[in-house]
Amino acid sequence: MDGDGDLMNDVPCSSIAVDSVLRIGSAGAIWGLCVGPYDARKRGLVGITRSLFVVKSAGSIGLQCGLFAGIYSGTRCGIQRYRRKKDPLNASIAGAVAGAAIAARTRSWMQVLGTAALVSAITTAIEVGTGN
């Protein structure tokens, strides 16, 4: 094998997406556990209500991060395999899809389009910057 290129073609996109969900979702949950107590203290919560708020915060942030990562990595992998090219356009399209999916719950077309464009630009810049 020549390296990661052959391995990436052998692994299904669904496995790549699940791996991303688990990794980034776990990181998001850890972040939620770090930021949750601060937010609970700002709201004046104590005791059980504080603990429940922290757990809910960790779960919510972990779910959002995992959802974003899964949509992005699954879309990027699928587009890359469909186009049979590994270039920044894959990251751009996947970033737009993931950004639009996350912003869709706002139900505002302007926010959906703005978030899709912003996330697309960020993911494209990262792709170009890392040279992947």
Side-chain angles (χ1 to χ4, degrees), residues 68-80:
F68 175 82
I71 292 171
Y72 173 77
S73 63
T75 304
R76 182 174 174 257
C77 176
I79 291 170
Q80 184 173 325

Side-chain angles (χ1 to χ4, degrees), residues 74-111:
T75 304
R76 182 174 174 257
C77 176
I79 291 170
Q80 184 173 325
R81 292 202 178 154
Y82 177 77
R83 294 181 63 230
R84 292 189 174 104
K85 292 182 182 177
K86 190 173 182 182
D87 60 5
L89 183 61
N90 301 334
S92 181
I93 295 169
V97 170
I102 295 300
R105 69 183 203 171
T106 66
R107 300 188 189 271
S108 166
W109 281 106
M110 290 304 292
Q111 286 185 345

Side-chain angles (χ1 to χ4, degrees), residues 7-8 10 20 33-34 37 50 86 91-93 103 112 115 119 124:
L7 181 62
M8 287 299 291
D10 294 339
S20 295
L33 288 173
C34 294
R50 180 182 175 128
K86 190 173 182 182
S92 181
I93 295 169
V112 170
T115 304
V119 174
T124 304

Side-chain angles (χ1 to χ4, degrees), residues 13-14 16-22 24-25 63-77 98:
C13 289
S14 58
I16 293 171
V18 168
D19 179 59
S20 295
V21 167
L22 293 175
I24 305 301
L63 182 66
Q64 289 173 359
C65 291
L67 178 67
F68 175 82
I71 292 171
Y72 173 77
S73 63
T75 304
R76 182 174 174 257
C77 176

